């Protein structure tokens, strides 16, 4: 009985704290944790790591971390690309006037203005029309009836420069001046259908009417839209690449492998 008791006691003796289990430590999703455990085990159980291995260990960690960050960045990029593609699926192609034609109204736009046309019953009088134009909202309809249009605008407008009129007693026309004259509106009213602004095109004949600074901005925007559609570098990408080449030419001994710098993610101006 004493022999059996000794055997059982030996069987119940806990393992040495320094013992290393590859089954528990080897986690493919955590290579740094495995490396830490392995080196710690070897340093306690073997004379093989008597020398200082911290520089080598740091280099391993640096490389593994860089690979993990690169993988995360790739996954984030794929997710962002998928999100944009899904968003574009819900967008509509703009009409010839860079707006949309709806069942009870239509709207058009230039970079400076937004024009809305709302059909009303023939013979409608001006006093029957309700048209409330505010800095960030619009309401159009007929008295005693539910509004035809009522909601928050895509962007703010200059109320003092906006007008409306009743044409031929059958169409309400609203002209609104944008505050921001550098961007297209994605929609007219919040919650309404969106257009793919990359397919919006300013009239070439109107470019000559713009001041030099605005015209330069519009032409650059048109170039970038076309490049994005073709999957080619935008003007900012080209500018950043040029700056990087210039820097490398001036610093031939510079190695980006030893520097924590990402030029293409910097806000170069």
């Amino acid at each position: 009985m004493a022999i059996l008791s000794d055997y059982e006691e030996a069987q119940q003796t806990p393992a040495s704290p320094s013992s290393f289990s590859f089954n528990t430590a080897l986690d493919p999703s955590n290579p740094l944790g495995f490396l830490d455990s392995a080196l710690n085990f070897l340093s306690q159980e073997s004379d093989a790591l008597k020398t200082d291995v911290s520089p080598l260990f740091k280099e391993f960690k640096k490389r593994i971390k860089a690979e993990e960050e690169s993988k995360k960045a790739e996954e984030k990029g794929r997710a962002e690309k998928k999100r944009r593609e899904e968003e574009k699926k819900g967008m509509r192609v703009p009409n010839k006037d860079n707006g949309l034609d709806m069942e009870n109204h239509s709207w058009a736009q230039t970079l400076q203005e937004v024009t809305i046309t709302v059909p009303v019953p023939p013979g409608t009088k001006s006093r029957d029309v309700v048209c409330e134009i505010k800095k960030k909202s619009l309401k159009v309809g007929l008295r005693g009836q539910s509004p035809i249009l009522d909601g928050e605008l895509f962007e703010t407008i200059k109320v003092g420069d906006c007008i409306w009129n009743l044409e031929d007693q059958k169409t309400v026309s609203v002209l609104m001046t944008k505050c921001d004259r550098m961007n297209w509106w994605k929609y007219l009213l919040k919650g309404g259908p969106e257009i793919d602004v990359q397919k919006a095109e300013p009239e070439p004949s109107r470019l000559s009417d713009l001041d030099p600074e605005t015209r330069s901005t519009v032409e650059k925007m048109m170039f970038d839209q076309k490049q994005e559609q073709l999957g080619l570098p935008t003007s900012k990408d080209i500018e950043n690449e040029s700056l990087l080449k210039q820097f490398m030419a001036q610093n031939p001994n510079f190695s980006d492998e030893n520097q924590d710098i990402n030029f293409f993610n910097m806000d170069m101006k």
Side-chain angles (χ1 to χ4, degrees), residues 57-73:
F57 181 47
K58 289 180 179 179
E59 181 63 24
F60 281 151
K61 291 183 68 174
K62 181 180 178 181
R63 292 186 181 183
I64 293 174
K65 186 176 181 180
E67 291 178 0
E68 290 178 344
E69 290 178 349
S70 176
K71 185 177 179 180
K72 289 180 180 179

Side-chain angles (χ1 to χ4, degrees), residues 60 62 92 96 109 134 136 215 227 254:
F60 281 151
K62 181 180 178 181
R92 300 189 185 184
K96 62 182 180 64
Q109 66 174 319
K134 297 182 180 180
K136 195 65 189 292
R215 178 173 179 176
Q227 291 293 96
F254 176 82

Side-chain angles (χ1 to χ4, degrees), residues 236-237 240-242 244 261-268:
K236 186 173 182 62
D237 294 332
N240 287 348
E241 184 177 0
S242 177
L244 178 59
I261 297 178
N262 188 334
F263 283 91
F264 291 99
N265 287 332
M266 292 176 65
D267 185 15
M268 296 183 176

Side-chain angles (χ1 to χ4, degrees), residues 121-264:
T124 297
K125 305 295 183 180
S126 295
R127 62 176 179 270
D128 299 325
V129 177
V130 175
C131 186
E132 298 178 2
I133 304 174
K134 297 182 180 180
K135 188 175 183 179
K136 195 65 189 292
S137 65
L138 173 70
K139 179 188 290 186
V140 179
L142 298 176
R143 296 189 184 281
Q145 301 182 21
S146 299
I148 300 172
L149 294 175
D150 187 10
E152 181 180 341
L153 297 168
F154 177 75
E155 280 289 356
T156 56
I157 57 174
K158 296 182 179 181
V159 179
D161 295 339
C162 300
I163 58 173
W164 71 271
N165 68 309
L166 179 63
E167 300 177 356
D168 300 326
Q169 295 185 325
K170 62 180 182 180
T171 303
V172 176
S173 178
V174 183
L175 177 64
M176 302 184 298
T177 302
K178 297 178 179 178
C179 288
D180 180 358
R181 301 189 176 191
M182 296 296 177
N183 294 297
W184 298 109
W185 283 19
K186 292 183 179 180
Y187 54 82
L188 177 61
L189 299 177
K190 186 175 182 179
E194 296 187 13
I195 64 170
D196 185 352
V197 294
Q198 291 189 358
K199 296 182 179 180
E201 299 180 356
E203 298 178 15
S205 59
R206 297 292 298 274
L207 289 176
S208 59
D209 299 334
L210 302 176
D211 60 85
E213 182 178 356
T214 303
R215 178 173 179 176
S216 176
T217 301
V218 172
E219 290 176 341
K220 181 179 180 181
M221 181 178 66
M222 294 171 62
F223 172 80
D224 287 343
Q225 287 180 351
K226 185 174 182 181
Q227 291 293 96
E228 288 179 356
Q229 291 173 1
L230 297 175
L232 298 176
T234 63
S235 58
K236 186 173 182 62
D237 294 332
I238 296 173
E239 179 184 358
N240 287 348
E241 184 177 0
S242 177
L243 288 173
L244 178 59
K245 288 181 179 178
Q246 182 180 352
F247 176 85
M248 295 300 291
Q250 295 174 354
N251 301 271
N253 296 325
F254 176 82
S255 173
D256 58 0
E257 292 180 356
N258 299 322
Q259 302 291 331
D260 186 18
I261 297 178
N262 188 334
F263 283 91
F264 291 99

Side-chain angles (χ1 to χ4, degrees), residues 11-23:
Q11 288 289 88
Q12 295 174 2
T13 301
S16 172
S18 62
S19 61
F20 178 72
S21 172
F22 281 90
N23 291 331

